[in-house]
Amino acid sequence: MTLRLTTWNINSVRLRIDQVARYVSESGTDVLLLQEIKCTDDQFPVRAFEDMGLPHLKIGGQKGWHGVAIASRLPLEEAPNLGLCREGHARCVSATVKGVEIQNFYIPAGGDLPDRALNPKFDHKMDFYERLTAHIERRDPDARLLLAGDFNIAPGEFDVWNHRYMLKIVSHTPVEIETLTRLQQAGRFSDVIRDAFPDPEKLASWWSYRAQDFRKSNRGLRLDHIWTSPGLTPAVVPGSARIHEPVRAWERPSDHAPVSVDLDV
């Protein structure tokens, strides 16, 4: 069967539940990975997800901030809980679907100053990546593993609106790019979106709310990712990976667009 999987930083699931329902209906998504749900587990709109055909849930909620969730048409089985966040934030939730281990992340943004000694938020971000990389180095590359979510790093020259300028800005600084590359190499992960749309095509999944017209300002970043392990990459359906940019133009949108891929499982 074909499994359609989407990752989306929703920036408040309760505020945007109508957009979620519309997207699920129009996209045919089978598994939805959400970040920044911004609610506790008991506040999560369970009934709405049941109504949209995604009744199987794994929720990692947090009051007012952060929070992640997995919603699925298919039953969810347990997967390792990585517990990577030193601050105890709800930034990772996991599940297994049809033999595919899914790790859904909302990785810290890192503040404004790319200096670990002077900026605790940036140190937290780097620490999260170091812990995740250490975990991946111990994993079997033949496992069917998928990492996805808001990684808060745009890795490539064509994943930002202005490479030279953004090299000074947290999300695209050299140390962050090196850190993300180290993680990708540790697991030999495939970046399914960039594989589908090779350089030099410009890609973005996030656009600031500050721009009145995000398309006109055209200052996007590709912060949202889906990666597959060597054991899972052959299951990626060619040509299926995409960024759903039109969703960013919906009424009262998240500042992130959904990113999806199909897996032949």
Side-chain angles (χ1 to χ4, degrees), residues 42-259:
D42 62 322
Q43 295 170 329
F44 192 84
V46 172
R47 179 63 183 272
F49 280 86
E50 292 173 344
D51 290 346
M52 68 182 82
L54 303 178
H56 304 284
L57 301 169
K58 284 289 294 291
I59 306 164
Q62 184 173 343
K63 183 178 180 180
W65 299 94
H66 317 309
V68 283
I70 299 174
S72 175
R73 297 188 193 277
L74 303 169
L76 299 176
E77 300 175 8
E78 291 300 314
N81 181 355
L82 303 188
L84 301 170
C85 181
R86 72 183 188 192
E87 307 295 333
H89 299 163
R91 292 186 177 274
C92 179
V93 67
S94 61
T96 299
V97 182
K98 297 293 289 185
V100 176
E101 179 187 331
I102 297 168
Q103 296 287 346
N104 174 25
F105 297 105
Y106 174 47
I107 295 178
D112 297 326
L113 183 65
D115 188 310
R116 296 187 70 162
L118 298 177
N119 179 5
K121 291 182 178 180
F122 192 76
D123 184 62
H124 180 206
K125 181 177 191 174
M126 294 296 99
D127 180 77
F128 193 105
Y129 269 107
E130 288 167 356
R131 293 178 185 219
L132 177 54
T133 302
H135 170 79
I136 292 301
E137 287 173 342
R138 300 191 294 268
R139 294 293 302 262
D140 178 1
D142 292 327
R144 289 159 64 85
L145 173 63
L146 183 141
L147 304 190
D150 180 357
F151 290 5
N152 265 312
I153 296 176
E157 177 179 353
F158 302 103
D159 297 324
V160 294
W161 63 275
N162 184 313
H163 172 59
R164 181 173 295 181
Y165 172 78
M166 287 298 302
L167 283 171
K168 307 167 191 174
I169 307 297
V170 171
S171 72
H172 190 64
T173 61
V175 66
E176 291 172 283
I177 295 168
E178 291 166 10
T179 296
L180 191 65
T181 300
R182 196 175 306 120
L183 170 62
Q184 186 175 8
Q185 292 176 344
R188 293 189 283 139
F189 290 107
S190 294
D191 177 348
V192 300
I193 291 292
R194 186 46 82 185
D195 289 349
F197 301 94
D199 292 349
E201 183 164 353
K202 286 255 189 180
L203 297 175
S205 62
W206 172 90
W207 298 263
S208 172
Y209 285 130
R210 293 174 184 168
Q212 192 167 12
D213 183 336
F214 78 97
R215 286 172 172 147
K216 185 176 180 180
S217 67
N218 198 26
R219 293 190 172 193
L221 308 175
R222 189 170 73 98
L223 303 178
D224 304 272
H225 302 275
I226 299 174
W227 288 1
T228 53
S229 68
L232 183 61
T233 298
V236 173
V237 176
S240 67
R242 60 177 294 203
I243 299 172
H244 299 258
E245 184 257 17
V247 175
R248 178 63 177 80
W250 288 358
E251 186 177 354
R252 298 181 73 196
S254 170
D255 45 358
H256 295 254
V259 178

